[in-house]
Amino acid sequence: MPKPVRFISRTVWYIVMLVFSFIMLYPFIFSMLAGLNTIDEFGHLGALFPVPQNPQFDNLLFLFTPRGIRPLINTFTRTAWYTVVVCTISVLMGYVLARYTFKGKRVFLVSILAVQVIPAVLTLIPAFVMMSHIPFVGGNNWMGMGGRGLINNSLALYLPLGWGFLIWTFLFMQSMKSLPRDFEEAGELDGCGFWRKIFQVIIPLQRPMIAVIGVNVALSVWNDWLIPFLYIRDTQRNTLPAYLGALVSALQQFGERDYPRIFAMSTIAIIPPFLIFLFLQKYIIQGIASAGVKG
C-alpha cells in the first residue's frame, strides 16, 4: 500500500475511533458537569454540555458526609465480600472438578450450565418470599411467620441469592484443564498438601483467570441495584446504586428535584469500577484465552 493511502486510511481510522470514544465518554462527561450545577441552573440548561457558571462542589462532597458515606461503605464492603467468596469458591470447586473424578460429577457440571439459562427475574419473587419467612429472624417464629425475616436486614446484602456465580467455577475448571499436572506433581514431591498446593502452586499460575473472575464479579456486584433495592428499605443500610435508585424514584413523586446531586453521586459511583477495569484489563484477555473449552 502506498504511503499516502496508508496515511489517509490511518487518519480516517483515528478519527472514527475518536468519534466512538467521545460517544462512549459523553454520558460520563455530562454527568460530571451536571453534578457541578445548582438546581436552578440545571433546570434552565438545554446545552449539549451543561457547563456551570459557578461550579458547586457540595454535591460531589455529599457522599463524604455522615449521611452519604454509609451507602458508599456498604457498597465497598458488599463488593469485596462477594469478590473474595466467589473467587474462593471458583478456585476450590474448579480445581476439584478438573483434577478429581467422583460420582455425580457429570450431573453437577450439567446442573451448573442448566441454571445459567434460567432468567434471574423468575427467581425474584420466590427468593423474596423465602427471605421473608426465615425462622427465628426478624420476629419470625419457628414456622417463619409473624415477622419480616431478612427484609430490611443488612445480612440480606451478603447472602447468595442465586447460582449464577457457578459459571465462574466452570470457567476455572476449563482453565485448569489447560494447565499441565507437572507443576502439581512437583509440588507434591516437595511435600505440598492440598491447601499448600492451592495457595503456592495453583493460585500463582492461575492469576490471570482469577483476575477475570474478580473483575467481573466486582463490577456486577458494584452495579447491582435491584437486589439491595428490593430487600433494604433503610437508606443507611443500603448500597450506593440502590440509594441512587431510591432517590430517583422519590424525585419523580415528590420533593425538590435535585438532579445535580444525583448526577454528582453517579459520577463518583462510576469511578471505582472504572479504576478496577483500567488496572486489571490486561489480565482479562489472558484469563479468557486460558479458559478455552477443552474436551
Side-chain angles (χ1 to χ4, degrees):
M1 182 182 296
K3 288 186 178 181
V5 177
R6 188 187 310 161
F7 174 77
I8 294 175
S9 61
R10 183 175 298 178
T11 302
V12 172
W13 174 254
Y14 286 154
I15 293 175
V16 172
M17 288 296 100
L18 285 174
V19 171
F20 275 102
S21 300
F22 172 77
I23 294 174
M24 297 296 293
L25 290 175
Y26 174 73
F28 178 75
I29 297 174
F30 184 93
S31 177
M32 182 176 60
L33 293 176
L36 299 177
N37 283 268
T38 62
I39 299 177
D40 295 334
E41 193 175 29
F42 180 80
H44 295 85
L45 285 177
L48 186 64
F49 292 98
V51 180
Q53 296 180 356
N54 298 310
Q56 304 292 323
F57 294 95
D58 293 341
N59 293 327
L60 292 173
L61 297 177
F62 173 75
L63 274 180
F64 303 98
T65 62
R67 182 184 171 190
I69 193 66
R70 194 65 208 174
L72 184 62
I73 294 176
N74 293 339
T75 309
F76 273 109
T77 306
R78 183 171 186 255
T79 302
W81 165 257
Y82 270 100
T83 302
V84 172
V85 169
V86 173
C87 287
T88 303
I89 293 176
S90 300
V91 170
L92 296 178
M93 292 180 61
Y95 175 76
V96 171
L97 290 171
R99 293 294 192 251
Y100 294 88
T101 301
F102 51 89
K103 291 183 178 180
K105 176 180 176 180
R106 186 176 297 273
V107 175
F108 184 74
L109 291 175
V110 172
S111 301
I112 291 178
L113 298 177
V115 296
Q116 306 305 316
V117 303
I118 301 176
V121 67
L122 295 181
T123 64
L124 288 179
I125 295 178
F128 188 89
V129 173
M130 180 185 67
M131 295 286 283
S132 62
H133 289 87
I134 295 180
F136 306 111
V137 178
N140 285 341
N141 56 22
W142 65 275
M143 295 185 63
M145 306 296 292
R148 51 183 170 81
L150 287 179
I151 305 303
N152 203 32
N153 190 318
S154 299
L155 186 60
L157 295 177
Y158 304 96
L159 293 179
L161 299 176
W163 300 101
F165 67 89
L166 288 177
I167 189 62
W168 301 114
T169 298
F170 178 78
L171 291 179
F172 190 85
M173 180 194 70
Q174 297 301 135
S175 179
M176 280 299 306
K177 289 183 178 180
S178 65
L179 186 68
R181 294 177 179 264
D182 299 343
F183 299 102
E184 301 160 61
E185 294 174 355
E188 292 174 357
L189 291 176
D190 290 337
C192 289
F194 178 83
W195 293 106
R196 187 177 170 190
K197 188 164 49 177
I198 289 292
F199 285 101
Q200 295 187 1
V201 179
I202 301 302
I203 290 180
L205 292 174
Q206 293 288 2
R207 193 176 303 165
M209 190 63 215
I210 297 175
V212 171
I213 298 173
V215 168
N216 283 275
V217 172
L219 293 180
S220 61
V221 174
W222 181 276
N223 294 322
D224 177 32
W225 68 274
L226 182 59
I227 297 300
F229 185 80
L230 288 176
Y231 289 98
I232 307 298
R233 299 167 185 170
D234 184 5
T235 56
Q236 293 303 302
R237 298 181 181 179
N238 224 326
T239 61
L240 182 56
Y243 184 31
L244 286 171
L247 288 179
V248 173
S249 177
L251 290 177
Q252 298 295 331
Q253 299 176 19
F254 57 88
E256 190 175 25
R257 300 190 174 183
D258 193 355
Y259 288 108
R261 173 169 292 182
I262 293 179
F263 277 115
M265 295 173 65
S266 301
T267 302
I268 296 178
I270 293 172
I271 295 176
F274 174 76
L275 294 177
I276 291 174
F277 182 82
L278 181 65
F279 289 106
L280 297 178
Q281 61 177 327
K282 64 179 181 179
Y283 293 107
I284 293 179
I285 297 178
Q286 299 177 22
I288 294 177
S290 66
V293 177
K294 296 175 177 57

